[in-house]
Amino acid sequence: MSARRLCSAATSPMLTALMLVLVIAAAPARAQAKAPTTKTNLDTTPSQAEVYLVTPDGTEAPLGITPLVDIRLPRGLITVRFRRDGYRDRVENIEITRSSKNFNYSLVREVKAATLELSSQPQYHGAAVVIDGNPEGTLPTTLSVPPGRHQAVV
């Protein structure tokens, strides 16, 4: 047997094993091909809301700020969260199909309590405070009240 044939015969099983390892290593890359996506438009009224893609494990990936035009979203049922200061968060389940779609959602204003601060000169400290007919303490005081008109009596 020549030296060349001996070398070839000895390395043949090694080459076969190496090729097998490369094929096995490449298999997950093919299996992890990107999921199909569809161009989609997302908007809110009012606009300028932050948009997040909510993953099945609950984490959120930022998509951008509305209006989002021709954003590629994975096909199937997805969950998105819209967030804007002064408005309630809105969570929507959206079915993304093969054809492009437009989605527009109205955001609802978040009503926050107002702060009413009542103070006085020292001789009036301890005076009773009544808001909308309900006793609320004494002067000086800081109260949280719902937005709107109120009657304060001291």
Side-chain angles (χ1 to χ4, degrees), residues 9-20:
T11 58
S12 180
M14 268 171 56
L15 284 175
T16 304
L18 180 60
M19 288 175 60
L20 183 59

Side-chain angles (χ1 to χ4, degrees), residues 5-95:
R5 256 191 178 164
L6 184 59
C7 181
S8 175
T11 58
S12 180
M14 268 171 56
L15 284 175
T16 304
L18 180 60
M19 288 175 60
L20 183 59
V21 167
L22 289 174
V23 168
I24 291 171
R30 274 184 263 139
Q32 293 176 353
K34 286 192 173 185
T37 60
T38 300
K39 287 183 180 179
T40 307
N41 298 326
L42 295 174
D43 203 359
T44 55
T45 303
S47 60
Q48 301 302 305
E50 298 170 0
V51 183
Y52 299 88
L53 178 64
V54 182
T55 62
D57 68 1
T59 59
E60 296 183 356
L63 295 175
I65 296 179
T66 61
L68 293 172
V69 178
D70 289 341
I71 185 168
R72 290 206 163 271
L73 294 175
R75 291 187 194 151
L77 186 63
I78 64 167
T79 303
V80 291
R81 177 184 305 277
F82 300 94
R83 184 174 291 144
R84 182 172 174 186
D85 285 342
Y87 293 83
R88 290 188 200 148
D89 282 7
R90 182 159 182 172
V91 176
E92 290 291 332
N93 292 318
I94 302 173
E95 182 71 31

